[in-house]
Amino acid sequence: MGLNALVTTVRNTANGAAVAQGQVGVTYQWDPQMQAGVDYMYMKGNGYLDNNHAHQISAILNYFLSKRTKAYTEVVYQRTNASAQALVSGIVEPNGTSGGPTQLVARVGVLTRF
């Protein structure tokens, strides 16, 4: 089992906008081929960003096919305050943002490292 924690602050020096985020998570590998993980993240913008904030929960299940290749499924859910639009990182189609304060994304894929 592995635990992780991350605290990050991003600032735009051109306009003063800033976002702080904190993330905690856990991963567990119950056999050589199967691994699961869960993360929670809280994000908060400063006054320039209307003090908007968001909660995000993600879960992933990895099945290792070899040392370099895995199949995975991932689910990410984000909820912002009512005046903001949710935006899960990595979503680009059509413009990435949701039409409201929640967004749910599910991914299934295969990853190979070279």
Side-chain angles (χ1 to χ4, degrees):
M1 180 167 57
L3 301 172
N4 67 70
L6 176 67
V7 175
T8 306
T9 301
V10 178
R11 297 185 190 280
N12 183 331
T13 57
N15 64 16
V19 175
Q21 80 177 36
Q23 177 179 338
V24 294
V26 61
T27 58
Y28 182 73
Q29 188 157 353
W30 61 85
D31 73 33
Q33 292 178 298
M34 296 291 290
Q35 180 187 55
V38 177
D39 285 310
Y40 168 77
M41 181 188 305
Y42 177 75
M43 299 164 275
K44 177 147 185 1
N46 66 0
Y48 187 84
L49 298 171
D50 299 325
N51 293 309
N52 287 325
H53 64 272
H55 300 271
Q56 181 173 298
I57 297 173
S58 60
I60 189 165
L61 179 63
N62 294 309
Y63 182 77
F64 297 98
L65 301 168
S66 69
K67 286 184 177 184
R68 298 181 335 160
T69 305
K70 70 175 182 176
Y72 70 93
T73 184
E74 180 179 25
V75 177
V76 181
Y77 174 76
Q78 186 181 99
R79 180 164 184 82
T80 67
N81 52 293
S83 62
Q85 291 180 313
L87 173 61
V88 173
S89 180
I91 304 302
V92 294
E93 294 297 331
N95 67 3
T97 60
S98 71
T102 62
Q103 189 172 44
L104 177 67
V105 176
R107 298 177 178 133
V108 176
V110 176
L111 175 68
T112 299
R113 295 188 172 121
F114 294 97

